[in-house]
């Protein structure tokens, strides 16, 4: 007989969020370091959205667009989490 999986067994030991006004690169670094595909977006202590790896991919120019490394970096640096997050969260 199998034992049921509890939420506490699957959840991350600490809640990690990203601020709406933070650069998208901050969310990408956090997601990469934690090995997660989604992060809650908070503002004034409330969850206002979610950013996923899909939103990140859609927000960044494709490497095949022919941008120089400087142009790519400039574009990425201008994108904020609030620009790509999915909201509202239910």
């Amino acid at each position: 007989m199998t034992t049921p999986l509890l939420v506490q067994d699957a959840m991350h030991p600490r809640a990690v969020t990203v601020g709406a006004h933070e650069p998208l690169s901050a969310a990408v670094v956090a997601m990469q370091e934690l090995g997660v595909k989604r992060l809650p977006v908070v503002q004034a202590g409330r969850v206002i959205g979610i950013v996923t790896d899909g939103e990140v991919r859609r927000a960044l120019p494709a490497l095949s667009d022919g941008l120089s490394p400087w142009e790519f970096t400039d574009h990425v640096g201008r994108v904020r989490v609030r620009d790509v997050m999915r909201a509202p969260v239910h």
Side-chain angles (χ1 to χ4, degrees):
M1 182 171 188
T2 62
T3 56
L5 179 66
L6 302 175
V7 172
Q8 69 185 20
D9 298 330
M11 62 187 249
H12 198 277
R14 62 184 173 104
V16 178
T17 61
V18 63
H21 299 290
E22 291 187 49
L24 185 58
S25 58
V28 170
V29 168
M31 293 166 75
Q32 181 69 31
E33 288 178 350
L34 296 169
V36 298
K37 295 185 177 193
R38 295 165 196 83
L39 280 179
V41 180
V42 296
Q43 185 171 351
R46 296 182 53 112
V47 175
I48 62 166
I50 189 166
V51 64
T52 70
D53 59 341
E55 272 91 28
V56 170
R57 280 194 297 274
R58 285 186 288 278
L60 300 179
L63 295 176
S64 61
D65 286 352
L67 297 177
S68 73
W70 296 273
E71 292 168 323
F72 183 86
T73 303
D74 179 57
H75 177 81
V76 171
R78 293 174 189 266
V79 179
R80 299 286 176 216
V81 170
R82 69 177 176 268
D83 300 330
V84 302
M85 71 181 193
R86 193 180 325 162
V89 177
H90 301 292

